[in-house]
Amino acid sequence: MSEVVPRKEEPPFPWMGMSFLCLGMLAHSIVFTSPLPYVAFMVVDFKMTDNLDEAGYTAGWITGMFMMGRTVAGVPWGMAADRYGRKMCLFISMVNVAVLGTLFGFSTSFTMAVFLRFMIGLGNGFMGVCKTVVTEMVLCKEHEVRAFGFINGVWGLGLIVGPAIGGLLSRPAIQYPGIFTEDGLWGRYPYLLPSLTCAVFAALAAVGVFLFVPETLKTRVSNAPSSLSASPSAAATQRYEKLTDQSTHSGSGKSVTSEDTDTEE
């Protein structure tokens, strides 16, 4: 009689950690896209041009500086995540988005706006580190596919929500004169409201990452000798299966074998 092998249960999906990683990805996406509807108006307000139809070239500098900063800082953020930990990099990235994103709403000149957008991108290593954390946090290959589906889906959602926030909330004293006044805070800083809204998403993500996302760097390091050639998710699967086997054998006692059956007969 062959040995009876107990059926392994599927490991739990890390819903809590994934929820706040998705929130951070959403904040990252909307802070990138929210200025698109109003950046041309911002250029005109900064007196860079008098014609809205000619504002495209100058407006491109403001929107492009975000990705320029990300391009410059992509590799350094990856090195920092390997040296100091994933969680710290995720947290700092979201704090950077919240603080500098709010300051962007107070921009009073073209130079200030370009500088802040560059710094938001430079201090934001969330996307690359987040994807690394996903591969190290999930416990089986099937969960990795599901997790990346959530991450990519939320990024796409941000591409829709971001421009909507920018278009609906910018220049509120002009769009909603019955609620906001020209001489009030929102009239003096017409792009503060969408920037502040994006900052709230980032601040919530920062708190969630700090409290509920585990540090996965130590997990990867502790398993490095036995899984240097394996993917992080494969290493996580091996860890889970090993723990499951240990708990199963410690609780099930002696396995039934063909030799035991022959002896009984």
Side-chain angles (χ1 to χ4, degrees):
M1 182 176 179
S2 60
E3 182 179 355
V4 178
V5 180
R7 182 176 178 271
K8 296 182 177 66
E9 296 182 359
E10 183 177 292
F13 187 79
W15 287 108
M16 184 64 74
M18 278 300 306
S19 297
F20 287 101
L21 288 179
C22 287
L23 181 59
M25 187 62 74
L26 179 65
H28 174 83
S29 182
I30 64 175
V31 79
F32 168 52
T33 57
S34 61
L36 298 180
Y38 63 76
V39 68
F41 295 95
M42 178 180 276
V43 168
V44 173
D45 291 345
F46 292 155
K47 309 299 183 184
M48 297 299 294
T49 181
D50 296 329
N51 189 346
L52 190 63
D53 295 333
E54 299 175 356
Y57 173 80
T58 309
W61 283 97
I62 297 178
T63 56
M65 281 297 108
F66 176 85
M67 297 306 295
M68 179 64 73
R70 276 197 54 194
T71 301
V72 172
V75 173
W77 271 114
M79 296 171 64
D82 284 338
R83 184 179 180 90
Y84 302 108
R86 323 301 197 203
K87 187 171 183 176
M88 183 272 293
C89 292
L90 294 174
F91 177 74
I92 291 178
S93 294
M94 285 296 98
V95 171
N96 168 77
V97 170
V99 174
L100 297 185
T102 301
L103 292 178
F104 177 74
F106 287 102
S107 297
T108 56
S109 68
F110 174 75
T111 303
M112 181 179 179
V114 167
F115 174 76
L116 286 173
R117 286 292 289 180
F118 178 77
M119 293 304 298
I120 293 172
L122 190 71
N124 183 5
F126 191 89
M127 177 175 283
V129 179
C130 173
K131 292 181 178 181
T132 301
V133 171
V134 169
T135 62
E136 296 172 346
M137 186 169 64
V138 297
L139 294 174
C140 65
K141 192 69 175 179
E142 292 77 10
H143 285 180
E144 182 179 345
V145 175
R146 183 191 305 175
F148 273 107
F150 288 138
I151 291 294
N152 293 331
V154 169
W155 171 260
L157 178 64
L159 298 180
I160 301 172
V161 175
I165 291 175
L168 292 172
L169 301 183
S170 62
R171 312 176 83 193
I174 297 176
Q175 294 198 75
Y176 315 107
I179 303 176
F180 304 96
T181 60
E182 287 282 356
D183 56 350
L185 176 66
W186 311 112
R188 294 195 304 272
Y189 302 101
Y191 311 106
L192 175 60
L193 187 56
S195 300
L196 193 60
T197 302
C198 297
V200 169
F201 281 94
L204 292 175
V207 174
V209 164
F210 182 79
L211 294 177
F212 300 109
V213 174
E215 175 56 68
T216 59
L217 176 61
K218 58 184 179 183
T219 303
R220 179 177 181 180
V221 171
S222 63
N223 287 274
S226 61
S227 58
L228 288 176
S229 60
S231 66
S233 61
T237 303
Q238 294 172 5
R239 294 196 306 274
Y240 180 80
E241 291 178 349
K242 182 178 180 181
L243 292 174
T244 304
D245 291 340
Q246 290 176 350
S247 61
T248 301
H249 291 308
S250 63
S252 60
K254 186 177 181 180
S255 302
V256 179
T257 64
S258 58
E259 294 179 359
D260 294 333
T261 304
D262 295 338
T263 302
E264 291 176 1
E265 291 178 353

